[in-house]
Structure formats: structure tokens, C-alpha cells
Amino acid sequence: MQAASSSTARLKRSWQLYVLLLVPILYIVLFKYVPMYGALISFQNYSVTKGVWGSDWVGLKHFSRFFHSYDFAAIMRNTIVLSFYSMIAGFPVPILLALCFNYVGNKKFKNTAQMLTYAPHFFSIVVMVGIILQILSPSSGIVNNAIKLLGFEPVNFMANADYFPHIYVWSGIWQNVGFSCIIYLAALAGIDPALHEAAVVDGATKLQRMRHIDLPGIMPIAVILLILNAGNMLDTGFEKILLMQNPLNQTASQVIDTYVYKIGLASPALDFSYSSAIGLFKSVINLLLLLFVNSIARRAKQSSLW
């Protein structure tokens, strides 16, 4: 009874905090859990007129259809290539940038550099893709102008499927690296300054301090972010890929998200059940990857989600 009364008193004393917590909880419930009800149509021949409970159940028919479709291998290959490429190339860059910012002594230069690296994050996807198309334009783009000055023929980058993964990944890094490094800067700020002072007294260089103090200090945060990124492995960024996609580069740019959009909304025959089944398949794979990477981190005695 005494414990219950103390909990009630604590609740009354901090009710404002619980009200603030209510907003994100409602958001998660309404936009993350309630839509799971719609996943039922993955196992049906869904009809808008019959509704969810009135449509005919077909079991795993749509999943089997996707696995045996002609496009399955190419779509999975493109999705996995773009996802792993983005993670391998993009994961260490914010860490390196945060380490560099942490050792910059000139505050004016540091603030200017941070502003320039943060700014692209606030560009909309449409604006960002527009900038990419202008920069790589074969007629007036700055890249092809430089190529022509060197005496070579201009290259139509967006019409070549081989260039698409590189353009997609590195433009994404350019856009998000500055904003992504904020959390690492916060982690670096939490490292005990006495460790650096002792290292300086012992004659350690900046690189040695980065290796033996900074990197171990931010490793728990880095592992947690790696686990979370693994849970979004097959989410390649639908809007950006769709805007960059064209018939000439589609062999490298057709991924699960764009395929779902085209068969679920852009097709004359709207196949909601088939597209929902593909989306559910992607979510299950993401969940399994999250559990797998979290298990590896826990067994390696690193930070984990649980």
C-alpha cells in the first residue's frame, strides 16, 4: 500500500511529464500500430467493396507470387546493394566528421563548417534531386563542363545504370552527414576531459587520443545506431529513388519500395493485396535483421537495445 501511494504521489507531482509523454505514445499507436490492421489484406484477395473482413482469404498466395515473379531477383539485388552500400559507405563518415570537428580550435571556422555540412539535410528531397540532376546534366552540368574542359565527351550519368548506386549513395551522404554527426558530437562532449588532459601530459598525439579515448567513448552510441540502421536495411528511400529513376537506369534503381508503389498505386489495376504482401515481407526481413544484429552486439559484450 505504501509503495502504491508513493507511486501515485510521484505521478501527481510529475503529471506534466506524463502529458508530454502521451503525445509520442499516441503518435506511435495511431501511425505505427493501428495500420498493422491493414496487413491482413496481404492474405486476401482484397476488394474495396467487400472490405477487410468480407474479402476472400488466400493464405500465402501473394507472397508466393512475389517470390516466383520475374522481377524478384533484380528487385532484391538492387535493394540489398543500395542498402549495404549506403550503410558501409555512410556509417563511418559522420563519426570521422564529428572527430574532426571535435579537434578544430578555430570556433569561427568550426561554426561555418558545421553550418555548411548541416544545411543540405534541410533541403527537401525534390530540391535535392533537382540539384543532383542539374549538377550531372550532360549539357550544362558543372561535372560535364569540367569533363569537356579536359577534352573528353560529356557523360549522361543518369542514363547509365552503373552510375546510379554511386550517385544515390554519395548524394545521400552529402545531404545527411552533417546532421548525423550531431549525436556523435554530443557523445564526444560527454567524455571526461581528464582523460584527454592525462593523454596530453603523456605526449599522446591527436590521432592517438582519437583512437584510445574518443572512439571507445562513442562506441556504445555507434553500436546502437548500427543496430537501428540494420532494422531499416531494406528501406532505401522511396521518394528519392523514384525521382531519380528513369527507364534507362531502372535495371539498377527498381527497389522494393518503388515496385510496391507502382503495382499498388500507379498501376491501372490496383493490386492492394499483392503490394501489401511485399511490404509485409520487407518489414519481416527488417525485423529479423534487427534481432540478428542486436544478438551479435549482445554476444560481443557491446551495447544493445535489450
Side-chain angles (χ1 to χ4, degrees), residues 87-154:
M87 178 173 289
I88 293 171
F91 186 74
V93 176
I95 298 176
L96 295 174
L97 184 62
L99 291 172
C100 293
F101 281 152
N102 195 47
Y103 284 89
V104 173
N106 189 320
K107 288 189 176 181
K108 186 175 181 180
F109 174 80
K110 179 179 179 180
N111 292 336
T112 303
Q114 285 180 312
M115 182 188 67
L116 292 175
T117 54
Y118 295 168
H121 177 79
F122 299 98
F123 295 168
S124 72
I125 296 297
V126 176
V127 172
M128 177 56 65
V129 173
I131 293 172
I132 295 170
L133 295 179
Q134 288 297 321
I135 291 175
L136 299 179
S137 171
S139 58
S140 59
I142 186 173
V143 174
N144 273 301
N145 285 339
I147 291 174
K148 286 186 283 188
L149 285 175
L150 295 174
F152 298 99
E153 291 295 320

Side-chain angles (χ1 to χ4, degrees), residues 150-162:
L150 295 174
F152 298 99
E153 291 295 320
V155 179
N156 191 349
F157 292 97
M158 299 306 298
N160 192 325
D162 294 334

Side-chain angles (χ1 to χ4, degrees), residues 20 24 32 46 57 63 70 120 160 165 176 180 186-187 213 256 260 269 294:
L20 290 175
K32 302 298 181 181
Y46 176 70
W57 296 88
F63 295 93
Y70 174 79
N160 192 325
N176 297 310
S180 299
I213 298 175
I256 291 177
V260 168
N294 187 76

